[in-house]
Amino acid sequence: MQDQYSRTQLLLGAEAMEKLHNSRVAVFGIGGVGGYTVEALARSGVGALDLIDDDKVCLTNLNRQIIATRKTVGKFKVDVAEERVHDIDPDIKVTTYKTFFGPETQDSFDFSQFDYVVDAIDTVTGKLELIQQAIDKGVDAICISSVDATGLDEKLQEAQDAGIYVSTWDSDVSPNARALMVSQGTADVLGPMLVEMAVDSLKERGVDVNGEVKYVWHFSNPSVSDQNSWYVAGDAYIKEKYPSWVAVNEPYYSNQDPAQSVSVGESILDAYADVDAIICNDSTALPGQCKAAENKGLTAKDITITGFCTPSGMTSYLENGICTRWGLWDCGIQGAMGCYLAAYISAGNTVKVGDKIDIPSIGTVEVLANDALVAGQETAAENNGVVLLPERVVFTAENVADYNF
């Protein structure tokens, strides 16, 4: 292998490196998730990459997409990604497709060529078609992060009926549509975390957090069960620990739409000019709300905005003084756990609630019942449940440079 992969070979071994070098991976969607995926695959030594996306880089991508810079605005994302890959290793074979993947274009792809397929698509129709391709090809396992709480259920149940084991991570489907879900944390952990980030930011600007604080929640929509559970737990935590706080309105919803998150954010600021804190338990709502504040000329000295988002999605708002802290979890570890657990079950292992699984380089995790995330959800007798990510992170100016996702 080339010298640039020598450190990786020390970690994985020569046989694994050879397998990576001989693998062909298709990445559908070269945006926030897909761009970082391509970067990681290229740096890991994968020998061939197929990149599929019909979109061009735009200014709104700069806050979260690794391929987006001022110089790449207006260029096709697949072309930018290809150039970046070849800057890393010119010997990687890259095939690009400037096309939107869906039912009408799926015949353009011979899935038998690919050793692995990465779903980084943000549409339900595209994900459904990829799942169908997996069923048709008889794969062993599917690891997926949903963009719709129930929209993939029927197709994933069809995959399970075909003997395919399904795991989810970050964004869940219904429990009967998958085996294991890798969750970022329970509502009792994440709800208070969101509130305490707001508390710390309010204290920074001299607000008495034990007095009246006007606040509101902003996230995707109530059908996203995990986000809704964080809101419910967080609001209960506020009533217990900060009883003088006043919710100025019911939660605002922006449906994980970047443009809508800005317009909804602006409507909040227009309606409640004296709001003290806006808590965004959604990685699209948070940068959108910060952009809305920036558009209004507001900074972290005027209003507290916090929530969950990637470091890359919020760094510009940190630098511009709009937000001083926000949180999340290492999505790379979370996705890796999802892939490992899908492979673990598809290899013939059976798990039930209470079982512990050793994941290499990550640690020991325990299978919990589904109601650890959402009250009332049932759990099957085996190969069904929830696994929690080991840790979460609060990002500030002091540590954000330590994270690259």
Side-chain angles (χ1 to χ4, degrees), residues 171-187:
S171 180
D172 202 8
V173 294
S174 297
N176 63 348
R178 48 83 173 156
L180 297 178
M181 158 64 174
V182 181
S183 173
Q184 39 273 46
T186 64

Side-chain angles (χ1 to χ4, degrees), residues 19 70 119 212:
K19 183 175 182 179
R70 292 279 177 172
D119 163 24
E212 182 180 277

